[in-house]
Amino acid sequence: MATQLTTQDVAKVAALARLELSADEQERMKYQLNDILDQFLSLQELDTQDVEPTSHSLPMRNVFREDAARPSLPREAATRNAPEKRDGNFIVPQIVDA
Amino acid sequence: MSKYESVVGMECHAELLTESKMFCGCANDFGGASNTRTCPVCLGLPGSLPVPNRTAVELVVKASLALNCEISRDCLFARKNYFYPDLPKGYQISQYENPIGQNGWLDITIDDGSTKRIHIRRVHLEEDTGKLVHAGGNESEIDYNRSGVPLMEIVTEFPPDITSPAEAKAYIEKLRAILVYLGVSDGKMEEGHLRAEPNVSVRLEGADVYGTKTELKNLNSFRAVERGIAYELDRQADMLDHGIVVRQETMGWNDASGKTYHMRFKEEEQEYRYFPEPDLIPLHFDDADIERWRSELPELPDAKRERFIAEYDLRPYDAEVLTGSRAVADYFEAASKSGADAKAVANYVTGDLMRLVNASGGDITDVKIAPDQLGALLKLRDSGKITNTIAKSVLEEMFATGKDAQQIIDARGISVVSDEGALTTEIDKVLSANTDVVAKIKAGNDKSIGFLVGQVMKATKGQARPDLVNKLLKERIGS
């Protein structure tokens, strides 16, 4: 058994992700997340001593684009789906610093 | 302050001089109407995918090399997750483990002329954010033109080497010079293209733990860096003197009032939940790439300063001033190549010319006087055709009009009065008007002769050669 996530852990992760979970949902997530962690435990049994860490699943590296500018979206298109806009700007609620 | 030690760490950001943004082809430009340089990638629209800019990566490797860093052979981009609408994706693409450059340093020159090494912990590549403008009421306006512009972050080592506001200023000046030499950044602090965010703390002299630090923002010039840190160090020392606990907070700098102000507390360390960016392929640099880039580095400020001292026999201080800016150094060197005496050129560039440039509010690249025109002016002076006083006034006219020195001299009808007969007439007038001074000189007060030289120079509108005037005066007084 891996270290078990508590309901408090779930609440914290949810808060960081800006998710609002009911008490029931927190309980359910706790079990599901613990099940997932248990799955990883079985991977821990493998000997990975000589295996390089994998950060990406594709056997590729150094994929670049050349530094050249191309046309951007027209402003009307860029802001088309904005819930609120004014003078070509997106409008959002002011974020008040704590 | 004396019983406290100051500790300053520096976190600096530089927007890279690329044509296009970091992960998309929108132009990397300044100004213009808001939201006119955006696309699905830098707006964070679903389904869009980033592709890194080759040139931006090269520029950061080169900057890392110039800052004496080790280059990580294998690098990843990472997602830094946070919720703030300056980036619409909900995360910033940055680097976490294995930044491109690590464990570097740069040397600063401190007040007594000695050098001090400032260690650099990391140099990494990330994307800049959009600009939020608080529009009044409860609203903010967002312009995403800057969102996704390639941004380099340079962080000094901990524990920090910098222990005073002056050292912090010297550090950002040297960093800026290096980045501008490399063509990595335009170094414009006042426009936010180069940003310095110092973190500052004080502790009792000899204490073995560090004090709580505050972070400073909105420092838009070298001077603001120095003043802001000085103010903040004093503020913290004063708090400690009064038994007030310093809290971890972000402070803004108000340049007009000369004070810092509270922006927000940072007591809870943000949890950014970094993880490798799954949309981007890892970077790998091999030795050949790194050595090729190293060989492409231009001569950097320290090397140029040493060469100027050796090659042109300049004083270390002048060499330091000239090489503080690549454009100034290039100007000096071009003017010297025109055949004028290098020391004379150095004096004019760091002195009269720089004063005119500063007064005009521009920089050396705006100067209408071509380097060889300055050289020609100094050759006229050094050959004795005009005096230094005249040369300075001609320089002012050249600065205003861009005309050649010879052209101005001809138009003004200036020439050096080296005709002894003409000079003697002026000298006799001065002598008869100043019999009291003459008496003093005869009584042994040699210094008073300087006054008489000045009077003759004035009478000849600066066109006489001072050494000749001096000689003739002495002859006539018979001293």
Side-chain angles (χ1 to χ4, degrees):
Chain A
M1 285 277 274
T3 314
Q4 290 289 299
L5 286 179
T6 64
T7 310
Q8 276 169 323
D9 293 329
V10 172
K12 187 180 172 194
V13 172
L16 285 170
R18 302 293 193 274
L19 294 175
E20 244 178 277
L21 299 184
S22 66
D24 279 357
E25 285 171 323
Q26 286 189 14
E27 275 305 294
R28 200 166 66 215
M29 286 301 143
K30 184 177 81 176
Y31 286 111
Q32 291 187 359
L33 286 170
N34 277 319
D35 281 348
I36 293 168
L37 290 179
D38 282 343
Q39 286 297 317
F40 278 95
L41 261 194
S42 61
L43 289 175
Q44 297 275 42
E45 291 165 15
L46 290 172
D47 177 6
T48 55
Q49 182 92 35
D50 299 320
V51 181
E52 273 192 41
T54 306
S55 61
H56 206 279
S57 55
L58 297 177
M60 298 170 76
R61 52 194 196 186
N62 292 346
V63 175
F64 294 113
R65 38 173 278 277
E66 298 308 317
D67 179 29
R70 53 154 184 69
S72 295
L73 288 176
R75 180 150 88 162
E76 295 65 33
T79 56
R80 179 173 299 149
N81 295 326
E84 273 194 75
K85 55 192 158 183
R86 190 195 310 131
D87 302 333
N89 290 301
F90 294 85
I91 301 294
V92 296
Q94 182 172 359
I95 311 295
V96 181
D97 289 324
Chain B
M1 272 306 290
S2 57
K3 64 178 173 176
Y4 296 109
E5 287 176 356
S6 313
V7 181
V8 181
M10 295 286 276
E11 189 177 307
C12 298
H13 288 93
E15 289 180 350
L16 303 180
L17 285 176
T18 54
E19 298 229 338
S20 62
K21 289 189 179 180
M22 185 60 226
F23 297 114
C24 63
C26 289
N28 172 12
D29 213 337
F30 312 118
S34 57
N35 293 307
T36 49
R37 294 188 295 273
T38 69
C39 73
V41 173
C42 58
L43 287 173
L45 299 187
S48 63
L49 285 171
V51 188
N53 182 330
R54 182 191 301 277
T55 302
V57 172
E58 281 188 23
L59 291 178
V60 174
V61 175
K62 285 183 175 176
S64 300
L65 289 169
L67 295 169
N68 306 291
C69 289
E70 298 156 12
I71 305 299
S72 303
R73 294 302 198 263
D74 293 283
C75 303
L76 295 175
F77 287 104
R79 286 189 184 180
K80 178 182 178 178
N81 297 280
Y82 67 90
F83 290 93
Y84 194 63
D86 61 355
L87 276 178
K89 298 191 294 295
Y91 56 86
Q92 178 186 34
I93 303 178
S94 181
Q95 291 194 277
Y96 191 54
E97 291 172 325
N98 301 339
I100 290 178
Q102 296 186 77
N103 303 324
W105 48 263
L106 62 72
D107 285 338
I108 57 170
T109 305
I110 53 181
D111 281 347
D112 64 4
S114 64
T115 57
K116 179 169 181 178
R117 184 151 294 177
I118 309 298
H119 292 86
I120 290 168
R121 190 218 295 250
R122 57 185 286 140
V123 177
H124 79 230
L125 178 55
E126 59 187 27
E127 57 181 334
D128 209 346
T129 62
K131 247 183 197 160
L132 258 77
V133 177
H134 298 299
N138 299 317
E139 289 178 348
S140 295
E141 296 174 346
I142 312 181
D143 171 10
Y144 286 119
N145 282 345
R146 201 180 64 181
S147 161
V149 163
L151 192 68
M152 178 171 58
E153 179 175 304
I154 303 125
V155 184
T156 54
E157 189 52 278
F158 187 87
D161 298 305
I162 298 173
T163 55
S164 73
E167 287 177 13
K169 177 168 172 264
Y171 170 80
I172 183 75
E173 283 176 341
K174 178 55 84 59
L175 180 64
R176 178 188 186 273
I178 291 171
L179 299 182
V180 174
Y181 269 59
L182 291 169
V184 161
S185 160
D186 69 10
K188 289 183 181 166
M189 292 186 76
E190 64 284 6
E191 292 179 39
H193 303 166
L194 175 64
R195 311 194 273 270
E197 282 155 21
N199 54 73
V200 172
S201 65
V202 297
R203 61 173 174 180
L204 279 174
E205 194 95 43
D208 49 6
V209 289
Y210 288 98
T212 304
K213 63 189 182 188
T214 58
E215 190 180 312
L216 275 170
K217 288 188 185 284
N218 302 344
L219 300 168
N220 295 331
S221 67
F222 295 143
R223 210 169 113 72
V225 169
E226 188 173 25
R227 290 172 71 210
I229 293 172
Y231 181 88
E232 193 56 20
L233 289 168
D234 277 349
R235 190 185 70 92
Q236 290 184 14
D238 193 55
M239 287 173 78
L240 295 183
D241 280 343
H242 290 84
I244 302 168
V245 176
V246 176
R247 291 175 68 183
Q248 205 171 326
E249 62 187 309
T250 302
M251 307 293 291
W253 170 248
N254 184 325
D255 209 52
S257 70
K259 290 178 179 170
T260 58
Y261 60 92
H262 168 82
M263 290 175 84
R264 58 185 164 269
F265 288 110
K266 287 185 79 175
E267 280 169 8
E268 205 171 312
E269 194 56 40
Q270 284 252 37
E271 288 189 50
Y272 291 121
R273 296 163 295 142
Y274 283 97
F275 63 86
E277 166 58 89
D279 288 345
L280 289 166
I281 304 287
L283 303 177
H284 173 80
F285 309 117
D286 53 36
D287 291 350
D289 295 327
I290 292 170
E291 289 320 308
R292 178 167 47 83
W293 286 324
R294 197 192 300 279
S295 71
E296 288 170 8
L297 295 181
E299 184 182 42
L300 292 167
D302 288 348
K304 202 183 276 291
R305 183 190 63 220
E306 294 313 310
R307 181 169 66 77
F308 278 13
I309 293 170
E311 193 173 325
Y312 299 107
D313 198 23
L314 299 185
R315 289 183 297 158
Y317 176 79
D318 287 339
E320 176 86 19
V321 173
L322 289 172
T323 55
S325 145
R326 184 176 178 172
V328 173
D330 288 348
Y331 189 97
F332 158 78
E333 206 154 26
S336 300
K337 293 254 153 67
S338 73
D341 175 57
K343 282 187 194 170
V345 174
N347 277 336
Y348 260 63
V349 172
T350 60
D352 291 274
L353 183 61
M354 203 49 72
R355 191 156 48 242
L356 290 167
V357 169
N358 291 340
S360 73
D363 65 48
I364 192 99
T365 56
D366 306 319
V367 169
K368 287 182 192 156
I369 308 171
D372 59 338
Q373 287 180 297
L374 177 67
L377 170 70
L378 291 170
K379 278 190 277 185
L380 284 169
R381 185 199 65 171
D382 292 343
S383 67
K385 293 212 173 77
I386 54 170
T387 64
N388 196 42
T389 314
I390 296 288
K392 288 183 181 202
S393 111
V394 171
L395 181 78
E396 283 180 24
E397 192 172 335
M398 291 170 75
F399 186 81
T401 63
K403 284 184 190 160
D404 280 338
Q406 189 64 58
Q407 213 181 338
I408 294 166
I409 291 165
D410 292 345
R412 287 202 206 164
I414 303 168
S415 61
V416 168
V417 180
S418 48
D419 169 3
E420 295 197 12
L423 266 182
T424 311
T425 320
E426 294 299 333
I427 284 171
D428 285 342
K429 277 189 217 161
V430 168
L431 287 178
S432 54
N434 293 284
T435 47
D436 51 334
V437 181
V438 174
K440 272 194 207 164
I441 294 167
K442 284 191 170 158
N445 185 348
D446 287 345
K447 283 182 186 158
S448 297
I449 196 130
F451 172 77
L452 296 180
V453 174
Q455 293 300 303
V456 178
M457 294 302 292
K458 206 170 151 191
T460 56
K461 299 189 178 66
Q463 297 184 26
R465 270 174 47 202
D467 56 335
L468 188 59
V469 173
N470 202 21
K471 179 179 143 250
L472 292 172
L473 274 170
K474 282 184 178 167
E475 281 174 13
R476 301 196 73 80
I477 297 170
S479 60

